Amino acid sequence: MRRAIFAPVIFALVIMMASCSLAPAGYTPPTSPSSEPLTLSPSSASVRAGSGQQFTASLTGKTYAWAVNGVAGGSSALGTIDTNGNYTAPAALPSPNTITIEVAETSKSSESASSGVTLLNPIPQISGVTPSSVNVGTFTLTINGSEFVNGATVSFGGANLSTTFVSSTQLTASGTATSAQVGSVAVTVTNPDPGGASSNGINAQVVGTISIAANVADRFLQQTTFGPTPQLIAQVQNSGLQGFQTQQYGLPVTPYPTPGQSETDLNLLQQRFFVQALTAPDQLRQRVAFALSQIFVIGGAKVSNPTAYTNYLQLLETDSFTNYRQIMNDVTLSPAMGHWLDMVNNGKPNTAQGDHANENYAREFMQLFTIGTAQLNPDGSYQLDATGNQIPTYTQDTVEAFARAYTGWTYPLTPGMTQQTYNPAYWTGPMVAVDSNHDTDPKQLLVYPGVAGGGLLPAGQTAAQDLKGAIDNVFNHPNVGPFVCRELIQHLVTSNPSPAYIQRVASVFNDNGSGVRGDMKSVITAILMDPEARRGDDPATAVGTDGHLQEPILFITGLMRAFNATSDGSNLSYYSNGMGQEPLFSPSVFNFYSPSYVIPGTTTFGPEFQLLTTATSLNRANWVNTLVFGSMGAGNKLDFSSYATQAANPGALVDTLNGLLMHGTMSSDMKNSILTAMQSVPAGNKQLMQEAQIAIYLVASSSQYQVQH
């Protein structure tokens, strides 16, 4: 009986237990807590600026949210992290240089983990060092590469140099090489802590000392730069004149910055022009480009677009050490020059209606840029006919033929636009040819002994073919050497080169010794190393008509560089304009002054004297007064404290200024007058500074300084 009752009870219990295991539809039973906590690997890391680091969460099959210092996905200042845990450090280190990488489950933020990261400076890399060789003595290097940071130091043979941070890709460094270092010396860059690290090494060469007198070095730098500096004088003393030129030829172009999109005038470019002149290491290139800009002239009154003018200046810089034929070609195709002298959009004329191609560029290209208006002898003197008159180089018919040869060129194609017969103004790149707008009739150009094809451009040629033929026709004219070389000599060395000097340089223009015509490096070297250029190195052999008046731009840059001024270029165009020469604003294609201007009452050429009037003379003196005693604005700074220290010995101070500014040519009367003026300064705590300022003012405002011999 008991057994019968017990069995149903057992069965009922089994049924009840089974029914309890059946969950209702849609019901999810709670999960038990994971037995494994979320962790992050690596738990700590050191990452260099700009580099990456992979972080991995320990639990698989989950989705995560990532943050840096609590910022989802990070930021440009802290570094960024993606949804897969890939962290990229910022380019510049934050302060402090530690951050925290955080990860949390997206569905359960309480499940999180973190890792500490220390950010370090990158490892620098050097790609090049210029110059590649230096002489025993003081030197300055430009180091190019990547990953440089502010505070980086340059090591030269294990010794740290005085280093200036220019950008993340460039440093400059100065030091002194010893005779014991002659040979290969390793150059490295070391970034500072945190994570200080050194770069790869590149060897520079140290060569032996060449002794050049300081006055010779100073005078040479007056001809080859925008003004001597104490540092460059020492460099030339050690490298020699030819060695300095070789170093300069090897330096890369210092490019002009690209104008901002908001710039609408040339004000900022004028400032950049002065910054280039004052600070660019490739001084010889800059000085030659300045000379070329006064031969191939454009002006801001018409070429007012900052990009147009910047590209033109860059063209002259780039071409300065190439070939004069290259310069002629690139200037001809420059949209800035095309706009200035109306070659751009100069279409083929409708002869049936009596139209003519625009003659402006055709005429000035010959008259001012290449051959002049009259036939020349190899020494630059005029050829005369049987009646004693000059012989013209070209006729009106010649001008018209060249004008037709230059038809069919329009502005470069604006990106994204379709080529048109007349493209709208665009300033980057050379002009482009539209052959349908080019005059294809034959053209009789210049005729001279040995001219190719009799000077005739055949019919049916393209615009490019006619352009090449026209430039070749002018380039090979016998006038080009003496005409161009005379003007380059005037800009660099002397206003009154002798015929023999012109002929010697022109012969190098005609043939550099290797059969090359127009080689600019050879011509520049011939100009600077000619005996007539160097005879003034010894004051006893100087000739009174040698040298030239410093034009306003060179006057300003020469004094500012002499005293190691720092400048952003502001206000300097204003002062230069007051002296008769506003940078970038030549009043016409004939430049600020004529190369054939004769000083009134004399038979002496003095081109720069054409700018000298009563007003501009006073403005020169007033500017020197502002430079020495006043202020040219917050962007221009000079420090005369070292000269104030020297004023304790007045004679020594005047000797220093004589060497720095006048390469030792100061007359005894001038020196005595300066010493007398210094003695008149009353005693006081500013006495030495005032004595130094008076001495500097009297030298800089003197005719003996302003007319350099």
Side-chain angles (χ1 to χ4, degrees):
M1 189 72 182
R2 267 182 209 169
R3 184 177 302 167
I5 295 173
F6 182 70
V9 171
I10 294 298
F11 178 76
L13 288 172
V14 171
I15 295 300
M16 290 176 62
M17 291 175 64
S19 66
C20 288
S21 68
L22 297 176
Y27 176 77
T28 302
T31 58
S32 60
S34 172
S35 60
E36 180 183 355
L38 175 63
T39 61
L40 195 56
S41 176
S43 59
S44 63
S46 294
V47 183
R48 295 195 178 274
S51 298
Q53 173 67 51
Q54 174 68 57
F55 289 90
T56 305
S58 61
L59 302 180
T60 59
K62 309 290 184 182
T63 58
Y64 295 104
W66 297 85
V68 183
N69 280 8
V71 178
S75 67
S76 60
L78 301 172
T80 58
I81 193 164
D82 64 18
T83 56
N84 296 315
N86 295 308
Y87 171 71
T88 302
L93 301 190
S95 181
N97 66 308
T98 55
I99 55 99
T100 301
I101 300 295
E102 300 156 316
V103 63
E105 287 190 42
T106 54
S107 61
K108 189 176 184 181
S109 59
S110 61
E111 288 290 336
S112 62
S114 63
S115 293
V117 176
T118 300
L119 298 177
L120 307 176
N121 277 322
I123 299 175
Q125 293 292 318
I126 300 178
S127 60
V129 175
T130 55
S132 59
S133 64
V134 299
N135 292 97
V136 171
T138 59
F139 63 85
T140 298
L141 298 176
T142 298
I143 298 90
N144 297 306
S146 60
E147 306 291 1
F148 302 151
V149 300
N150 202 356
T153 56
V154 176
S155 171
F156 185 81
N160 286 343
L161 304 180
S162 176
T163 305
T164 299
F165 176 80
V166 179
S167 68
S168 62
T169 60
Q170 188 175 90
L171 305 171
T172 61
S174 300
T176 302
T178 67
S179 57
Q181 291 177 301
V182 171
S184 296
V185 176
V187 177
T188 59
V189 171
T190 300
N191 279 341
D193 286 331
S198 296
S199 70
N200 58 308
I202 289 185
N203 285 336
Q205 298 294 317
V206 176
V207 297
T209 301
I210 302 173
S211 180
I212 298 292
N215 67 299
V216 175
D218 182 77
R219 182 172 180 270
F220 183 70
L221 290 167
Q222 289 174 348
Q223 300 168 344
T224 56
T225 71
F226 275 91
T229 66
Q231 296 81 5
L232 280 184
I233 291 172
Q235 181 180 336
V236 174
Q237 284 188 270
N238 291 315
S239 65
L241 308 187
Q242 189 65 64
F244 177 77
Q245 288 181 78
T246 300
Q247 292 170 2
Q248 286 287 303
Y249 289 144
L251 291 178
V253 177
T254 300
Y256 275 85
T258 301
Q261 293 184 351
S262 62
E263 293 181 41
T264 58
D265 56 39
L266 301 181
N267 290 339
L268 290 177
L269 181 56
Q270 288 179 312
Q271 292 183 218
R272 295 180 191 123
F273 170 84
F274 273 108
V275 171
Q276 290 279 94
L278 292 170
T279 65
D282 54 331
Q283 279 286 298
L284 180 58
R285 179 190 298 276
Q286 299 294 326
R287 183 67 185 274
V288 172
F290 180 51
L292 290 171
S293 75
Q294 297 192 81
I295 298 173
F296 295 94
V297 177
I298 66 172
K302 185 173 181 181
V303 186
S304 58
N305 182 282
T307 298
Y309 218 126
T310 297
N311 289 344
Y312 188 72
L313 294 176
Q314 190 71 33
L315 179 157
L316 295 180
E317 280 189 319
T318 302
D319 283 1
S320 288
F321 295 159
T322 59
N323 190 287
Y324 203 75
R325 171 64 174 77
Q326 182 73 46
I327 299 169
M328 291 166 61
N329 182 83
D330 292 349
V331 165
T332 300
L333 292 181
S334 162
M337 178 59 79
H339 179 72
W340 171 246
L341 288 181
D342 307 315
M343 181 179 150
V344 71
N345 293 338
N346 179 27
K348 63 180 178 181
N350 187 335
T351 54
Q353 297 181 1
D355 290 345
H356 295 278
N358 190 289
E359 300 168 6
N360 204 9
Y361 185 72
R363 177 176 287 103
E364 309 306 357
F365 185 72
M366 291 187 289
Q367 178 180 351
L368 300 175
F369 304 167
T370 54
I371 62 175
T373 58
Q375 300 282 2
L376 301 175
N377 293 308
D379 63 2
S381 60
Y382 290 114
Q383 294 182 21
L384 304 177
D385 62 18
T387 60
N389 294 317
Q390 297 175 10
I391 305 170
T393 50
Y394 54 85
T395 66
Q396 175 60 25
D397 288 342
T398 315
V399 173
E400 292 179 9
F402 273 103
R404 292 190 294 113
Y406 296 141
T407 56
W409 295 88
T410 186
Y411 290 102
L413 183 63
T414 303
M417 295 190 68
T418 302
Q419 178 67 46
Q420 304 174 47
T421 301
Y422 297 120
N423 287 336
Y426 185 69
W427 307 104
T428 301
M431 293 190 293
V432 296
V434 180
D435 285 327
S436 62
N437 203 26
H438 173 64
D439 185 310
T440 58
D441 290 339
K443 305 159 188 80
Q444 181 60 58
L445 306 182
L446 296 167
V447 178
Y448 50 85
V451 64
L456 180 69
L457 294 180
Q461 294 201 133
T462 64
Q465 288 172 327
D466 270 359
L467 182 83
K468 180 181 182 302
I471 294 176
D472 284 341
N473 177 260
V474 177
F475 175 65
N476 289 297
H477 191 283
N479 263 33
V480 178
F483 181 87
V484 171
C485 292
R486 173 179 181 260
E487 293 202 16
L488 289 174
I489 293 169
Q490 286 184 314
H491 284 296
L492 298 176
V493 177
T494 177
S495 297
N496 291 273
S498 70
Y501 186 5
I502 295 172
Q503 184 166 354
R504 287 192 293 269
V505 178
S507 68
V508 174
F509 182 98
N510 295 338
D511 186 341
N512 68 351
S514 300
V516 177
R517 178 180 176 82
D519 175 34
M520 286 296 291
K521 288 182 182 178
S522 297
V523 169
I524 295 164
T525 300
I527 290 171
L528 296 172
M529 301 308 295
D530 190 87
E532 196 165 319
R534 305 271 50 88
R535 67 183 173 193
D537 292 347
D538 180 356
T541 64
V543 174
T545 55
D546 283 349
H548 53 84
L549 172 68
Q550 295 185 73
E551 58 197 281
I553 289 172
L554 294 180
F555 183 52
I556 289 172
T557 60
L559 283 172
M560 294 186 72
R561 282 174 57 83
F563 297 107
N564 290 319
T566 59
S567 175
D568 63 2
S570 59
N571 300 329
L572 299 184
S573 290
Y574 166 79
Y575 292 112
S576 187
N577 186 34
M579 302 177 206
Q581 187 181 37
E582 183 181 7
L584 315 185
F585 278 85
S586 175
S588 75
V589 72
F590 293 93
N591 193 27
F592 295 97
Y593 49 81
S594 168
S596 297
Y597 180 77
V598 176
I599 302 172
T602 75
T603 58
T604 302
F605 291 114
E608 297 85 355
F609 278 91
Q610 194 169 2
L611 302 177
L612 203 62
T613 65
T614 301
T616 60
S617 297
L618 288 174
N619 285 338
R620 282 176 175 250
N622 289 338
W623 175 73
V624 175
N625 185 75
T626 301
L627 172 86
V628 177
F629 297 105
S631 170
M632 293 182 291
N636 300 286
K637 301 184 187 304
L638 291 92
D639 184 3
F640 298 120
S641 57
S642 64
Y643 296 93
T645 302
Q646 295 181 54
N649 185 339
L653 171 60
V654 176
D655 287 341
T656 296
L657 297 176
N658 183 20
L660 177 63
L661 300 178
M662 300 180 61
H663 53 84
T665 61
M666 184 184 294
S667 68
S668 58
D669 286 345
M670 180 177 176
K671 180 174 181 179
N672 290 334
S673 296
I674 294 172
L675 291 173
T676 300
M678 293 174 68
Q679 292 168 3
S680 68
V681 176
N685 57 5
K686 295 183 179 180
Q687 179 181 1
L688 293 180
M689 176 59 78
Q690 291 174 351
E691 288 183 359
Q693 288 173 310
I694 284 177
I696 293 168
Y697 171 80
L698 290 175
V699 175
S701 60
S702 71
S703 61
Q704 290 190 36
Y705 169 68
Q706 294 188 47
V707 180
Q708 294 182 336
H709 293 287

